[in-house]
Amino acid sequence: MVRKLTSLSLILLAFLLIQCSSVPLSGRSQLALINNDQIFPMSYDQYEQVKKESKIITGTDQARMVKRVGTRIQRAVEQYFNDQGEGDYLQDYKWEFNLIEEDETVNAWCMPGGKVAFYTGIMPICQDELGVAVVMGHEVAHAIANHGRERISQQYAAQFGLAAVSVLITGGSGAPSIPTEVIMQGAGAATSLGILAFSRKHESEADKLGLYFMAMAGYNPQEAPKFWERMAANSGGQAPPEFMSTHPSHSTRISDLKANMPKAMEYYRKSQ
């Protein structure tokens, strides 16, 4: 019996090692138990549901700016992947950029597959197009890095355990479906304390890649630390300790952004 359990454990370990992919630009290995062709359609459906339940702002300067910045960064990222000979990587992404009227919500997020939402509450902190580009680059980076798929894979394994993984190994049909709340967590909702470190890792990686992406699109990346300084001022010192937060502290973010600035400036200069 022990020998059988050991064999199963080795098989599961081998499967988990195989079910990994690499994050573009960073090269970090990530868990990928589920394919994007499973996740993206569910993500798009959930995004449509959010739109139905929200007031989408159209025709205003802010709404047009969100779409303009999103499209500009999208095209720059697509050009980068094409130049690398990896244009197929983004072929299933269906980009969309919307502004939702919620003045009390200082947030933005991106569904797996490229569906982005900004809330009006974050726009005063963005201040202008450069500020929007900082946030947009960060959210696009979440999508490009497949952080949603990674989070969903983690949640899938945590909720359903080795039994579900075994079904995946054998190719059976008994694997449980992905709940809506897991899809929403894949878009950046808070997770349990047990996997906060992964969420901080995702946020830090999105900061780095987002800095590069805004620079590729011709937006000065030196504005990014200024945005987070404004965000820190807006929080009024009420942010939780970093070890209790799914996000890096504002000071950590600013320090990391400055450390990644030389590479970002290379991309920026090439875009000019």
Side-chain angles (χ1 to χ4, degrees):
M1 181 67 177
V2 172
R3 186 173 298 173
K4 289 183 178 179
L5 289 175
T6 301
S7 298
L8 178 59
S9 298
L10 290 174
I11 293 172
L12 290 173
L13 177 59
F15 172 78
L16 292 174
L17 290 174
I18 293 171
Q19 297 302 112
C20 289
S21 61
S22 295
V23 177
L25 278 82
S26 79
R28 181 178 64 84
S29 181
Q30 61 181 180
L31 186 64
L33 291 177
I34 304 168
N35 295 326
N36 278 337
D37 59 7
Q38 296 173 273
I39 297 172
F40 284 5
M42 298 177 68
S43 171
Y44 300 153
D45 288 345
Q46 188 61 36
Y47 188 76
E48 290 302 314
Q49 186 63 34
V50 170
K51 287 166 62 178
K52 289 179 183 178
E53 297 172 354
S54 306
K55 182 176 180 180
I56 304 297
I57 306 298
T58 60
T60 67
D61 289 343
Q62 286 188 343
R64 285 190 290 267
M65 181 165 57
V66 167
K67 290 183 182 295
R68 180 172 64 251
V69 174
T71 301
R72 184 168 161 180
I73 291 178
Q74 170 200 338
R75 290 174 177 169
V77 171
E78 289 173 343
Q79 184 62 54
Y80 170 81
F81 275 84
N82 285 334
D83 291 345
Q84 302 300 310
E86 299 175 356
D88 290 347
Y89 183 89
L90 300 175
Q91 66 179 357
D92 294 326
Y93 283 69
K94 296 181 180 179
W95 298 98
E96 191 170 345
F97 312 97
N98 284 297
L99 179 64
I100 296 174
E101 184 176 345
E102 282 192 28
D103 292 342
E104 302 303 315
T105 304
V106 183
N107 196 19
W109 46 261
C110 183
M111 286 285 192
K115 302 289 188 179
V116 178
F118 271 59
Y119 291 95
T120 52
I122 202 171
M123 299 305 286
I125 301 174
C126 290
Q127 289 188 346
D128 54 24
E129 188 158 334
L130 283 172
V132 172
V134 173
V135 179
M136 187 66 72
H138 176 91
E139 298 307 329
V140 168
H142 276 309
I144 298 297
N146 278 312
H147 288 159
R149 180 180 65 188
E150 186 176 3
R151 286 176 175 174
I152 290 169
S153 293
Q154 292 164 351
Q155 288 291 88
Y156 196 97
Q159 287 191 21
F160 304 117
L162 297 182
V165 176
S166 296
V167 172
L168 291 174
I169 291 174
T170 60
S173 59
S177 60
I178 308 171
T180 297
E181 60 268 23
V182 176
I183 291 290
M184 292 304 294
Q185 288 173 347
T191 54
S192 63
L193 185 61
I195 57 173
L196 286 180
F198 294 106
S199 292
R200 285 197 297 271
K201 183 184 296 182
H202 292 160
E203 292 297 328
S204 295
E205 191 167 60
D207 282 347
K208 178 180 178 178
L209 299 186
L211 193 70
Y212 297 164
F213 293 158
M214 70 176 291
M216 291 175 188
Y219 292 109
N220 189 343
Q222 292 174 318
E223 291 297 314
K226 299 176 185 177
F227 168 83
W228 287 107
E229 288 169 359
R230 296 195 297 271
M231 184 68 87
N234 181 75
S235 69
Q238 299 303 308
E242 185 169 355
F243 76 93
M244 286 290 290
S245 172
T246 58
H247 294 59
S249 68
H250 296 309
S251 60
T252 296
R253 284 192 123 131
I254 292 169
S255 177
D256 289 347
L257 286 167
K258 289 180 178 179
N260 290 311
M261 194 62 65
K263 183 65 175 179
M265 289 302 295
E266 291 181 18
Y267 287 121
Y268 179 61
R269 285 189 287 270
K270 291 179 181 177
S271 74
Q272 301 303 297

